[in-house]
Amino acid sequence: MAVELKCDTLWTGADIATMQGGRYSLIEDGAIAVQGEQIVWIGPREQAKAIRCDRTHNFAGGLITPGLIDCHTHLVFGGDRSQEFEQRLNGVSYSEIAAQGGGIISTVRATRAASQQALVASARARLQRLLAEGVTTVEIKSGYGLDEESELRMLRAIRQLGSEMPVDVKATCLAAHAFPPEYKDNPQGWIERVCQHLLPQVAQEKLADAVDAFCEHLAFSPDQVSEVFSAARALGMPVKLHAEQLSALHGASLAARFNALSADHLEYATEEDALAMAASGTVAVLLPGAFYLLRETQRPPVEYFRKHGVPMALASDANPGTSPALSLRLMLNMGCTLFGMTPEEALNGVTLNAARALGCADRLGSLEVGKRADFVHWQVERPAELVYWLGGELPCETIYRGEMR
């Protein structure tokens, strides 16, 4: 039955993987009607004959997917740590590198020394690589300033990127990322500073969309993370957590108790953690780039997440130390080859479930009426091809907010 409707643009000529309900949900020879920035109709092209539109854009075959969402990155930072990567390959341990003044503290020094404009300029170059592969939404964390002034400068740089580039940028305050050098013997003092001074200012200036922390034996304890999360929730800010990357501290269960949007890494998560996350709706964000670069052997418990219905997302974790990854599509392949995900789970992990991890699945992550018109046209025949090809930029055309980017 033909549909009578008016719209700005009708996009036709390709199959559509809608990802509604987290499935491929393939519409062969489909059409998408867009009014303003919103999808107002989607279905087979044959049923769109009566749609009146100002413009029609016809693709010559291929596949349309939702815009890709990178829901965990650290794209804003100063300096470079490629020398440390080379040292590790030559057998120098992380502790030896840290003793030489390297590791995360070297990034902290470089970030503190960089102006906001310098941080924006270097991050823009990295972000452009993600955009070239169809990313339409990205999350970026602070956490390399580790003092109030530098953390605020990072968050302002993140907001500036969002205002200047054709991509939605979600900002996350990760001040509880590591011990600042000034607080290396008093990490609790930094937690108190974050809770009592930094977070209220971040909330007042609306510099972050969420608050994150690193719960690990070499970072902050579950009790300290609870303090940060309590302060964030009191300010009306949702929370996320780096958890179970190197050891089992049940940080994922802690995140679930605070109804966290996501718990990320999760190599050492248990079935108990999975049950808690399922009950709270907390998304498991898996980060194969760091797993690969650190040569880890403990895989995230994908089977527990499947068993208990925990949504699984994938992200690049783009950062200077453990995942210098600038290809979200490569993470699709690594999620399958390293973690045992299916191609459908992987694509869902960078669309609908990634949107869930950012708290915006009501308007992003799948192609359906009422959601924003963010989608990508790929010159491939089936969705699994996006997962199959290793590296390189597959030719694609990105539609962001209803317009060709």
Side-chain angles (χ1 to χ4, degrees):
M1 179 177 175
V3 176
E4 293 188 11
L5 186 73
K6 184 161 189 326
C7 67
D8 293 332
T9 310
L10 185 67
W11 303 83
T12 67
D15 295 340
I16 304 171
T18 69
M19 303 314 295
Q20 292 184 31
R23 310 287 298 180
Y24 284 157
S25 303
L26 197 67
I27 301 173
E28 295 184 0
D29 191 16
I32 303 174
V34 175
Q35 180 70 28
E37 297 183 353
Q38 193 173 67
I39 296 172
V40 294
W41 186 86
I42 183 169
R45 176 161 57 169
E46 182 66 23
Q47 296 179 14
K49 289 181 178 178
I51 293 179
R52 293 178 295 125
C53 57
D54 297 331
R55 296 170 293 172
T56 298
H57 190 104
N58 186 53
F59 297 112
L63 178 75
I64 293 172
T65 68
L68 303 190
I69 299 172
D70 197 344
C71 63
H72 181 133
T73 84
H74 306 253
L75 285 169
V76 171
F77 58 85
D80 172 78
R81 283 161 64 184
S82 57
Q83 182 181 1
E84 294 178 18
F85 171 68
E86 188 172 13
Q87 286 180 290
R88 287 201 303 272
L89 292 177
N90 287 321
V92 182
S93 70
Y94 186 85
S95 59
E96 290 174 309
I97 291 171
Q100 298 167 7
I104 191 172
I105 296 303
S106 68
T107 300
V108 170
R109 286 195 303 270
T111 302
R112 288 181 177 183
S115 67
Q116 179 175 324
Q117 290 306 317
L119 292 173
V120 168
S122 62
R124 182 185 292 113
R126 293 184 280 269
L127 182 53
Q128 284 171 338
R129 304 298 357 117
L130 294 175
L131 268 57
E133 289 195 330
V135 169
T136 53
T137 300
V138 63
E139 183 257 21
I140 306 177
K141 305 177 191 293
S142 69
Y144 291 122
L146 301 186
D147 63 33
E148 290 177 63
E149 179 186 353
S150 302
E151 285 292 306
L152 292 170
R153 186 165 64 253
M154 285 190 73
L155 290 168
R156 290 178 184 127
I158 294 168
R159 287 297 195 215
Q160 184 177 340
L161 283 167
S163 69
E164 294 180 353
M165 298 192 70
V167 58
D168 266 20
V169 177
K170 302 295 183 183
T172 297
C173 180
L174 180 57
H177 189 196
F179 306 149
E182 301 84 359
Y183 288 87
K184 63 183 176 61
D185 298 319
N186 180 27
Q188 182 60 30
W190 176 238
I191 292 296
E192 292 171 2
R193 194 76 190 166
V194 169
C195 295
Q196 296 170 18
H197 298 276
L198 179 59
L199 290 184
Q201 188 168 350
V202 169
Q204 181 180 9
E205 295 187 36
K206 295 182 171 55
L207 290 175
D209 303 297
V211 172
D212 200 343
F214 188 18
C215 185
E216 193 53 76
H217 64 87
L218 49 67
F220 297 99
S221 70
D223 286 344
Q224 289 169 328
V225 170
S226 292
E227 290 184 54
V228 174
F229 280 7
S230 294
R233 293 301 297 271
L235 293 164
M237 303 174 73
V239 297
K240 308 165 69 68
L241 187 63
H242 288 60
E244 269 69 70
Q245 182 182 10
L246 304 172
S247 61
L249 294 181
H250 294 296
S253 295
L254 166 65
R257 287 199 297 275
F258 281 88
N259 296 114
L261 292 172
S262 70
D264 304 28
H265 286 291
L266 300 173
E267 280 84 341
Y268 287 83
T270 65
E271 187 166 13
E272 178 185 345
D273 294 321
L275 282 164
M277 292 172 66
S280 68
T282 299
V283 176
V285 177
L286 309 184
L287 305 170
F291 176 91
Y292 167 79
L293 201 77
L294 294 174
R295 302 180 183 181
E296 297 288 352
T297 57
Q298 177 83 17
R299 302 196 319 175
V302 167
E303 66 279 7
Y304 290 152
F305 299 145
R306 283 196 193 115
K307 177 181 177 182
H308 299 295
V310 178
M312 291 183 288
L314 282 167
S316 69
D317 191 19
N319 75 74
T322 61
S323 186
L326 298 179
S327 171
L328 183 58
R329 199 175 53 74
L330 179 59
M331 299 303 108
L332 294 174
N333 182 282
M334 294 173 75
C336 294
T337 57
L338 299 180
F339 292 165
M341 300 175 75
T342 67
E344 187 172 59
E345 286 174 333
L347 185 56
N348 190 34
V350 297
T351 53
L352 187 57
N353 281 348
R356 287 173 173 151
L358 296 179
C360 54
D362 60 328
R363 58 189 184 279
L364 301 174
S366 60
L367 299 177
E368 49 192 303
V369 172
K371 290 200 172 182
R372 204 172 69 201
D374 289 357
F375 51 93
V376 188
H377 174 250
W378 308 88
Q379 294 180 19
V380 300
E381 294 185 4
R382 52 196 304 267
E385 281 192 66
L386 302 177
V387 183
Y388 166 72
W389 290 106
L390 279 172
E393 291 181 4
L394 288 183
C396 68
E397 298 166 284
T398 301
I399 291 78
Y400 173 65
R401 296 179 178 262
E403 297 290 341
M404 191 78 77
R405 189 165 67 187

